[in-house]
Amino acid sequence: MFRQVAHRILTRSTTTYSAGAAATIRRPYSTEVVADASSGDSAFVEAWKKVAPNIDPPKTPIQYMEPRPPTPSTLPSKLTVNFVLPYSAELSKAEVDMVIVPATTGQMGILPGHVPTIAELKPGLLSVHEGNDVKKYFISSGFAFVHSNSYADILAVEAIPLDRIDQAQVQKGLSEFTQKLNSASTDLDKAEAQIGVDVHSALNSALTG
Amino acid sequence: MASTAAVPFWRSAGMTYITYSNICANLVRNCLKEPYKSEAINREKVHFSVSKWADGKPQKPTIRSDTPEA
């Protein structure tokens, strides 16, 4: 009997939510939520203290996370870039003027105040502009995320400064893969040869351009 | 209702993004100059053992390694 009552209460509360009302309730974006993480979940802490008053409540993962920096109301003057590789962080919260990334849709320039974007990167040149210095890296592939608070996260699998590229190896690879592309039979072979040609020609133009 | 998003050539050839990304990274690493190239190759060496499970028990493991057996 009690189970039926509970079930009816549950169904009643869900049916008062019409589909229209549910659709208009918008979940906040992560940049809008202010995570007051330092004190932890107050209901949990109180329940803990009732049960084990002498032991400190354990910290939950959210307390270790720094809240995302909020979106400033005026346009910031610098872009904050986090440029990371799987094995190291090349730039960590570096304040720069502009970053040009090799997106699949072409070279994309990211300035402070850029619209939030997720871009897939193709093998190509990444340049970081700070005042008059330009640092260039060749990226194998990856993603670039631009957030509304003028933070850009660039993730790449391999990124090499241009002076570490071996020109002779690039030429050799280019000719080898162009030949493979001509003699390839299966779709997969063709795709691999095409990837080889793309990467080596991008390396070539990065060295000469 | 078929989706009409343009697929990249590697995806239509049956390759996944991660395979594509790893191939690109390997090609780029191959084009490095000497001391950096051997560092990069060293960094990417893996050594692990895999075993399939059947009836809740592991079967014989196979070891996959880039380091020569000493």
Side-chain angles (χ1 to χ4, degrees):
Chain A
M1 189 184 74
F2 290 107
R3 205 177 297 157
Q4 286 171 352
V5 168
H7 176 67
R8 214 173 298 136
I9 290 174
L10 271 170
T11 49
R12 190 166 297 173
S13 58
T14 51
T15 49
T16 51
Y17 242 50
S18 70
T24 54
I25 293 168
R26 182 177 73 84
R27 287 159 142 249
Y29 292 126
S30 56
T31 38
E32 296 168 353
V33 171
V34 179
D36 179 18
S38 50
S39 52
D41 182 7
S42 54
F44 171 73
V45 170
E46 279 171 29
W48 179 277
K49 289 237 184 311
K50 275 189 216 137
V51 178
N54 294 328
I55 310 176
D56 283 332
K59 286 176 105 174
T60 50
I62 200 156
Q63 287 172 283
Y64 291 97
M65 284 180 65
E66 290 174 17
R68 186 186 282 243
T71 312
S73 45
T74 59
L75 206 63
S77 60
K78 294 273 201 195
L79 185 68
T80 319
V81 177
N82 292 317
F83 175 30
V84 294
L85 304 172
Y87 50 87
S88 84
E90 287 289 323
L91 296 172
S92 176
K93 292 200 189 159
E95 305 250 325
V96 299
D97 296 323
M98 173 170 77
V99 170
I100 302 185
V101 296
T104 43
T105 51
Q107 294 285 108
M108 176 165 87
I110 303 175
L111 288 144
H114 195 282
V115 60
T117 316
I118 301 181
E120 181 190 336
L121 306 180
K122 65 176 181 217
L125 211 54
L126 171 94
S127 41
V128 179
H129 299 248
E130 167 66 29
N132 279 326
D133 308 312
V134 180
K135 267 193 272 193
K136 294 194 186 167
Y137 300 88
F138 185 86
I139 293 196
S140 72
S141 60
F143 290 91
F145 298 87
V146 187
H147 305 283
S148 53
N149 50 7
S150 286
Y151 267 63
D153 297 324
I154 304 175
L155 298 88
V157 181
E158 274 295 337
I160 58 186
L162 297 182
D163 52 10
R164 293 187 191 177
I165 304 179
D166 186 353
Q167 173 94 0
Q169 191 68 22
V170 173
Q171 300 292 19
K172 194 173 105 176
L174 187 55
S175 52
E176 181 192 330
F177 279 97
T178 336
Q179 200 187 27
K180 272 195 202 161
L181 186 58
N182 289 330
S183 64
S185 46
T186 65
D187 259 350
L188 198 57
D189 286 339
K190 271 193 218 140
E192 284 181 11
Q194 181 68 50
I195 296 174
V197 167
D198 285 344
V199 171
H200 286 98
S201 35
L203 272 163
N204 221 354
S205 48
L207 283 175
T208 53
Chain B
M1 201 163 47
S3 73
T4 51
V7 284
F9 65 88
W10 39 268
R11 177 131 353 235
S12 48
M15 201 188 282
T16 58
Y17 178 78
I18 190 110
T19 319
Y20 165 71
S21 186
N22 283 336
I23 292 177
C24 288
N26 280 325
L27 292 171
V28 168
R29 263 178 232 129
N30 256 331
C31 294
L32 277 168
K33 281 189 185 154
E34 222 354 275
Y36 306 111
K37 183 168 175 178
S38 26
E39 279 172 18
I41 295 186
N42 243 324
R43 187 200 314 135
E44 296 295 321
K45 285 197 174 147
V46 290
H47 176 99
F48 57 92
S49 131
V50 193
S51 44
K52 289 201 195 292
W53 287 63
D55 293 334
K57 289 190 207 15
Q59 309 301 316
K60 183 159 194 328
T62 46
I63 300 193
R64 300 190 51 155
S65 169
D66 286 331
T67 54
E69 295 300 323

